[in-house]
Amino acid sequence: MLSQNQTTNIQQVITTCLRNKFKNYVPQDNYMPFHFALLGKDRMALYSFMQSLLTTFGSSIFEPVAAALAKTRFAKVETQYTVGDCIYDNCQKSVQDIVNELTYNPKPDKVTELKKLQQNLFGNKNKLKATKVDLFVETKDGEQYLFDLKTAKPNKGGFQEFKQTLLTWAGIAYTQNKKTKIHTAIAIPYNPYSPKPYQFWTMAGMLDLDEELYVAEKFWDFLGGEGAYNDLLSCFEKAGIELRPEIDEYFANFNKK
């Protein structure tokens, strides 16, 4: 459970992120006379803003909130972290072999897969295009967790790419330090199927669901401790109540134009 100070801090992060979004938001200048007549310019402007916000919710809201939450428990926290840009060629080949094998034999086992990567840390070092990790956290003991934040319903066709990215991050980290204790995973901030369980079957076969998938409570409680998910929902609710007058005033101006 978050302390009062932590709750206040995270609520401030949420409100600041949303205010920044308002400040930098440029409404689409589309003339829609029938929509305006039926719904009002304010509601149409709000609809447009919501579409823009939902598109960038991961980077503009979830990432900074996750970082603020993780700082309560982890020694090192970074968003848009660069893991590196070099990997041993044999390790890179091992990544591709694992992905190929899972295509025909869908039985992922992340622990075994990481051992395979560690066994192939030799050969030439290949230069890769540096990729950004959405959220990087490290424990006091140096254990690293790298998260790729995804939307609530990621594209099923992208799971092979997700797996390759997670293994490549690990391979790059091992290339830098063979003894690195590393975990790479997909994070999904909420369960759109709630109260039913998340439809894990959509990712089964390519991702190790225990090791490579953090959904809703599992993700937020990992970052902030037990109960953090529910506390976070409360923070969002309080931030929404605080911002409501500002939001109403902002969009009411569109009816004056």
Side-chain angles (χ1 to χ4, degrees):
M1 182 174 290
L2 300 178
S3 68
Q4 183 58 49
N5 286 339
Q6 291 168 339
T7 298
T8 300
N9 178 54
I10 290 172
Q11 186 178 328
Q12 288 175 344
V13 170
I14 297 169
T15 55
T16 298
C17 289
L18 201 55
R19 283 182 177 128
N20 287 339
K21 185 69 177 177
F22 274 123
K23 183 179 179 181
N24 298 316
Y25 174 64
V26 178
Q28 293 183 355
D29 190 20
N30 292 335
Y31 181 60
M32 306 170 70
F34 293 101
H35 297 74
F36 292 161
L38 181 64
L39 300 173
K41 291 182 179 180
D42 57 340
R43 290 187 177 89
M44 288 305 299
L46 177 59
Y47 172 72
S48 177
F49 175 78
M50 288 303 300
Q51 284 187 311
S52 174
L53 180 62
L54 291 173
T55 301
T56 62
F57 216 93
S59 58
S60 63
I61 305 291
F62 286 138
E63 279 186 26
V65 169
L69 189 62
K71 287 177 181 177
T72 64
R73 296 186 68 210
F74 291 88
K76 184 178 180 181
V77 178
E78 287 188 37
T79 58
Q80 295 302 305
Y81 171 80
T82 301
V83 63
D85 60 0
C86 287
I87 187 172
Y88 282 111
D89 53 9
N90 284 283
C91 185
Q92 188 175 20
K93 182 178 182 301
S94 183
V95 168
Q96 190 60 57
D97 289 344
I98 292 169
V99 173
N100 291 343
E101 183 178 349
L102 288 173
T103 303
Y104 300 100
N105 184 29
K107 295 180 180 180
D109 181 344
K110 189 62 172 291
V111 174
T112 300
E113 292 162 7
L114 291 181
K115 287 180 179 178
K116 288 181 180 178
L117 298 187
Q118 289 176 306
Q119 292 167 358
N120 286 280
L121 297 174
F122 58 90
N124 297 319
K125 289 184 180 181
N126 290 337
K127 187 85 168 177
L128 301 178
K129 181 181 179 181
T131 59
K132 298 288 187 178
V133 176
D134 292 332
L135 180 67
F136 167 89
V137 300
E138 184 174 294
T139 67
K140 294 179 181 178
D141 298 328
E143 197 162 356
Q144 299 178 356
Y145 292 80
L146 282 64
F147 292 102
D148 191 4
L149 271 67
K150 296 297 183 185
T151 59
K153 295 182 179 181
N155 186 350
K156 185 177 180 180
F159 297 155
Q160 182 172 322
E161 181 183 344
F162 297 168
K163 181 72 173 191
Q164 188 152 4
T165 296
L166 297 181
L167 290 174
T168 300
W169 284 350
I172 292 172
Y174 286 143
T175 297
Q176 295 174 347
N177 181 354
K178 297 180 180 181
K179 297 182 179 180
T180 297
K181 295 180 181 179
I182 193 166
H183 308 265
T184 57
I186 298 294
I188 297 178
Y190 64 93
N191 175 14
Y193 308 103
S194 183
K196 296 180 180 180
Y198 190 80
Q199 294 185 9
F200 292 120
W201 61 268
T202 60
M203 297 187 183
M206 192 59 66
L207 298 183
D208 182 329
L209 301 181
D210 290 330
E211 297 289 333
E212 295 182 303
L213 190 62
Y214 286 64
V215 179
E217 291 96 326
K218 182 178 178 181
F219 177 56
W220 298 111
D221 287 1
F222 170 77
L223 296 180
E226 186 176 355
Y229 174 75
N230 288 326
D231 289 344
L232 190 59
L233 289 177
S234 179
C235 289
F236 270 84
E237 182 180 16
K238 291 176 181 177
I241 293 172
E242 178 184 344
L243 289 170
R244 195 160 297 159
E246 296 178 38
I247 294 173
D248 290 343
E249 181 181 0
Y250 178 84
F251 286 106
N253 289 326
F254 285 88
N255 282 333
K256 301 175 183 177
K257 298 178 181 180

